Amino acid sequence: MKRNTILFDLDGTLINTNELIIASFIYTLDKHFPEQYNRESVLPFMGMPLVETMEQFDKEKVSDLVQTYREHNISHHDELVTEFEGVFETVEELYKKGYKLGIVTTKMRNTVEMGLRLVGLDKFFQTVVTLDDVKNAKPDPEPVQKALTLLGSTPEEAIMVGDSKYDILAGQNAGTQTAGVAWTIRGNDYLQQFNPDFMLNEMTDLLDVLGER
């Protein structure tokens, strides 16, 4: 069956929010737990829902931790978020060729929209499934299934593209094909452990996977 539906994670896949996320984590943890955590401490949590992540540090202070993180994240968003090479051109070409395009993310909708507008991708996606729209976040299949339903697609028609194990597992759990991105901050070898169907060295490789070049 021809693949006509592409679902993307956002952070670390379409837009480079890595430094923003790390800076927001370090700021938050330094404020609440001075001198206990560093950059390496937060890398394993990249891609997880924020509340779930903060529960790992202190279940009694989750709401305070989340508030501190979000305030820092929003106030520094535009100065620290950048584009990944080849993303805009690839997404634009898929859009022009009539592919159904969706985003499946563990972020809240307001910051998703900020990121998409910043890099000019907001006009290409027919559906965006955020943490606000589901009961269960990735790696549960619910967000992927919801995006497929909204797009009128089946798992057999779709590829889930992402930079974390949560993206790959969510796609696998929902029955789609999966593509990992080699620019993941955790490293190519780490992501390959989860057996994505494809690994993209750059986003334009997706056009080859789909037979479009």
Side-chain angles (χ1 to χ4, degrees):
M1 182 176 292
K2 177 174 170 56
R3 295 179 291 269
N4 59 25
T5 302
I6 316 298
L7 304 177
F8 296 90
D9 174 55
L10 183 63
D11 287 356
T13 301
L14 292 178
I15 59 175
N16 189 351
T17 51
N18 292 331
E19 294 309 314
L20 174 65
I21 291 169
I22 291 167
S24 298
F25 268 124
I26 291 175
Y27 173 82
T28 301
L29 295 173
D30 278 349
K31 180 176 179 178
H32 293 274
F33 314 104
E35 300 181 8
Q36 291 187 41
Y37 297 99
N38 58 23
R39 183 185 180 92
E40 286 67 39
S41 305
V42 304
L43 291 182
F45 300 102
M46 302 286 279
M48 287 176 61
L50 184 59
V51 171
E52 185 179 328
T53 301
M54 293 311 185
E55 287 175 346
Q56 311 296 311
F57 297 105
D58 190 334
K59 290 188 176 181
E60 303 301 319
K61 299 177 69 172
V62 169
S63 60
D64 289 341
L65 292 169
V66 168
Q67 181 178 349
T68 302
Y69 177 97
R70 286 187 173 144
E71 288 174 353
H72 182 277
N73 193 273
I74 290 172
S75 63
H76 293 82
H77 182 278
D78 288 5
E79 70 189 76
L80 293 178
V81 173
T82 58
E83 300 180 52
F84 284 119
E85 185 176 351
V87 167
F88 185 91
E89 296 85 349
T90 303
V91 173
E92 182 179 43
E93 182 156 351
L94 294 174
Y95 175 80
K96 288 179 177 177
K97 289 181 178 294
Y99 282 83
K100 301 177 189 178
L101 304 177
I103 288 174
V104 179
T105 175
T106 55
K107 293 181 77 170
M108 305 287 281
R109 185 166 294 276
N110 64 327
T111 47
V112 171
E113 292 175 349
M114 285 176 65
L116 291 175
R117 282 196 302 268
L118 182 66
V119 298
L121 290 172
D122 51 317
K123 54 185 170 289
F124 297 129
F125 293 95
Q126 291 111 307
T127 193
V128 177
V129 175
T130 72
L131 191 61
D132 304 292
D133 304 314
V134 295
K135 292 181 180 178
N136 303 294
K138 297 177 291 186
D140 192 276
E142 183 190 349
V144 174
Q145 291 167 339
K146 186 176 182 69
L148 292 174
T149 297
L150 291 168
L151 291 169
S153 300
T154 65
E156 294 77 19
E157 296 172 311
I159 301 177
M160 176 70 211
V161 183
D163 71 306
S164 79
K165 69 177 183 180
Y166 305 102
D167 305 314
I168 305 306
L169 294 175
Q172 291 169 346
N173 291 336
T176 73
Q177 286 193 311
T178 57
V181 300
W183 53 93
T184 170
I185 195 168
R186 297 294 300 277
N188 187 354
D189 291 344
Y190 172 81
L191 198 55
Q192 293 226 37
Q193 295 178 70
F194 303 97
N195 301 310
D197 295 290
F198 310 100
M199 282 297 298
L200 310 177
N201 290 316
E202 52 190 42
M203 190 60 84
T204 52
D205 290 344
L206 185 56
L207 299 172
D208 295 321
V209 168
L210 296 166
E212 295 293 351
R213 71 170 186 178

